[in-house]
Amino acid sequence: MKPPIPSPCQQRCQLDATGEHCLSCRRSIKEIAGWPGFSDFEKKAVWNRLLALPPQVEAKQCQRCGDSFSCGANGPANSCWCAKLPNIMPLGEDGKDCLCPSCLLQAIARAGSDAAPDPG
């Protein structure tokens, strides 16, 4: 059985000036309201749209180790440093926010070893 596709919700809901999009997860009101009934295909389409958006620059604190780091503009062409790393969803644990570079690399390595085929 496949695990469910996690929601992009970051538990910091705040609507933009138009009242049409969440400033945190960047989903539209229709995407937020429809999420529970969306098919896996529809949920993946929302994730693909969100991942294609330019990153928002902000100072963050790692949910795992507590270190401060900058998110959104440290990579090439104003993209986040994490854009060149493999995607793991959700970005953080339990729907929380991003991980710092060190913790994200550890999480990716752990996810890769969990998915590695058994050599025996």
Side-chain angles (χ1 to χ4, degrees), residues 51-71:
L51 290 170
L53 292 172
Q56 296 174 312
V57 180
E58 82 181 270
K60 295 199 173 192
Q61 187 172 10
C62 180
Q63 67 171 13
R64 185 171 293 157
C65 71
D67 280 353
S68 295
F69 65 100
S70 178
C71 179

Side-chain angles (χ1 to χ4, degrees), residues 67-119:
D67 280 353
S68 295
F69 65 100
S70 178
C71 179
N74 289 341
N78 294 328
S79 65
C80 189
W81 55 268
C82 70
K84 57 187 163 202
L85 299 174
N87 287 329
I88 57 173
M89 295 191 308
L91 298 177
E93 298 168 350
D94 301 325
K96 295 182 183 173
D97 209 353
C98 300
L99 300 174
C100 70
S102 177
C103 289
L104 181 57
L105 288 172
Q106 290 172 10
I108 291 169
R110 197 168 35 258
S113 66
D114 291 344
D118 185 3

Side-chain angles (χ1 to χ4, degrees), residues 5-8 25-28 30-32 34-35 38-53 89:
I5 296 172
S7 169
C25 73
R26 301 170 82 179
R27 288 183 294 166
S28 71
K30 288 180 182 180
E31 290 170 336
I32 293 168
W35 189 265
F38 281 178
S39 67
D40 282 356
F41 178 81
E42 292 168 309
K43 289 178 180 181
K44 287 178 185 177
V46 171
W47 267 111
N48 287 337
R49 184 187 71 73
L50 296 173
L51 290 170
L53 292 172
M89 295 191 308

